[in-house]
Amino acid sequence: MTEAEVNRSVLKKDAPIGVFDSGVGGLTVVREIMRQIPNEKIIYFGDTARLPYGSKSRDTVTRFSEQIVRFLRTFQVKTIVVACNTASAYAMERLEQDTDIPMIGVVKPGAKMAAEMTRNGKVGVIATEATIGSGIYTEYIQDLNKNVTVYGKACPLFVPLVEEGLWEDPVTDEIARRYLTELIDIDIDTLILGCTHYPLIRSTLRKIMGESVTLVNPAYETARELKEMLGKLDLLCTEPPGLGSNRYQFYVSDKAEKFVRFANSIIKYGILSARTVNVEDFEGRR
């Protein structure tokens, strides 16, 4: 038995799931986890002081991610969900090497579904500049199906539009049309929403792309694969947490009040508070 297997063997079913993102986009993943595996406890960290990750270097994103993982581990989490496409693209390999608990990112589940769903072999990916530049969706999809061609399109303005709450707004419609026109012209039949913010403007994307294009939501697919992984590891919580068990806890690196307002517009569970943490205090901790 390996060291990782030894450590995983002592993980507890009733331990929480750790989830992190560069800001608020990862709440779309949390929402899906709540829906699909409702008995689980969740510790969420949003790095609101240092977002966006999409314009930062691989080394910087990896360092930030390592700090956050060390913070989440203080809660004895049984698994960690990297609910950020940029962190999944840049830091996942390092995190898996350094962490002896199960981890899952948002890129592979979305790539897997897109490879299965495409009919004409033309898959579009919209994401941050970092995720598109990494080529990770292309790599994963073509590992599964070499006959698929992947077309990436960076959409940097979507994140600030979402964070400003402009989900259904003429400005968002116009920006989306400009971004998506070339993908429509290419005749893609599958589009991956490769940033966890993007499901919040799904109706806009659907309107512009049309009903013939399959929209792949990695947040949904990640929650589905998380449930499957926990089941295989015999870590699914079969009973709902008791009263007073701090079922859902939220932490941020800045602007906690703004985060709570935004979170309550996404998750209908009444998020009453979020605590501010200086995650840089976890630099170098094991």
Side-chain angles (χ1 to χ4, degrees):
M1 185 178 288
T2 67
E3 180 182 356
E5 287 171 334
V6 170
N7 288 329
R8 289 184 187 186
S9 69
V10 300
L11 296 174
K12 298 179 179 179
K13 287 185 178 182
D14 63 352
I17 296 167
V19 183
F20 79 88
D21 180 49
S22 60
V24 299
L27 291 170
T28 60
V29 179
V30 169
R31 180 173 63 183
E32 290 297 337
I33 295 172
M34 290 174 171
R35 287 173 176 171
Q36 297 186 42
I37 37 179
N39 291 332
E40 301 295 340
K41 292 185 287 188
I42 298 171
I43 308 291
Y44 180 88
F45 180 83
D47 200 0
T48 49
R50 303 185 294 193
L51 62 81
Y53 281 11
S55 57
K56 293 180 171 61
S57 70
R58 179 183 296 269
D59 287 346
T60 296
V61 172
T62 299
R63 178 166 57 85
F64 289 175
S65 299
E66 289 174 326
Q67 292 169 352
I68 296 166
V69 166
R70 294 180 191 118
F71 167 68
L72 291 173
R73 291 193 62 147
T74 65
F75 295 91
Q76 284 73 54
V77 293
K78 62 183 178 184
T79 187
I80 292 176
V81 179
V82 183
C84 171
N85 280 265
T86 301
S88 294
Y90 276 176
M92 196 72 188
E93 184 175 354
R94 173 77 68 82
L95 296 177
E96 288 180 321
Q97 290 172 351
D98 294 346
T99 305
D100 54 4
I101 59 175
M103 301 188 73
I104 185 171
V106 290
V107 173
K108 284 186 178 180
K112 179 181 177 182
M113 180 55 61
E116 293 174 359
M117 293 300 295
T118 183
R119 303 175 303 279
N120 68 4
K122 295 179 180 180
V123 173
V125 180
I126 52 174
T128 64
E129 293 176 358
T131 300
I132 296 300
S134 74
I136 194 164
Y137 272 104
T138 300
E139 177 185 339
Y140 285 156
I141 290 171
Q142 292 189 338
D143 279 347
L144 295 167
N145 187 344
K146 295 187 183 300
N147 295 320
V148 174
T149 302
V150 181
Y151 302 91
K153 177 65 178 178
C155 302
L157 291 177
F158 279 167
V159 169
L161 288 169
V162 167
E163 298 212 352
E164 288 300 318
L166 301 175
W167 304 350
E168 297 182 7
D169 188 274
V171 172
T172 305
D173 289 354
E174 177 59 28
I175 295 297
R177 285 191 183 91
R178 293 190 183 193
Y179 282 150
L180 297 174
T181 295
E182 65 184 78
L183 296 178
I184 294 171
D185 291 344
I186 291 167
D187 193 32
I188 64 166
D189 72 350
T190 304
L191 180 65
I192 300 174
L193 312 187
C195 173
T196 48
H197 286 72
Y198 297 178
L200 297 173
I201 55 170
R202 189 179 186 280
S203 62
T204 295
L205 301 175
R206 164 60 64 216
K207 178 171 59 178
I208 293 170
M209 297 305 300
E211 294 296 330
S212 63
V213 175
T214 299
L215 301 184
V216 175
N217 178 1
Y220 176 87
E221 302 303 332
T222 299
R224 189 174 61 83
E225 290 212 6
L226 174 64
K227 181 179 181 179
E228 182 177 325
M229 182 182 77
L230 292 176
K232 288 180 178 178
L233 295 172
D234 195 27
L235 288 174
L236 269 178
C237 194
T238 55
E239 299 289 337
L243 294 175
S245 60
N246 290 322
R247 185 172 189 171
Y248 304 131
Q249 298 181 54
F250 296 88
Y251 297 84
V252 294
S253 49
D254 196 17
K255 298 181 178 178
E257 291 184 4
K258 182 178 180 180
F259 173 87
V260 169
R261 288 195 300 272
F262 193 94
N264 279 320
S265 69
I266 300 173
I267 300 172
K268 308 304 181 183
Y269 285 85
I271 297 170
L272 301 179
S273 66
R275 300 179 188 177
T276 302
V277 173
N278 183 4
V279 77
E280 292 181 7
D281 289 344
F282 293 83
E283 181 77 50
R285 289 191 185 182
R286 296 297 299 173

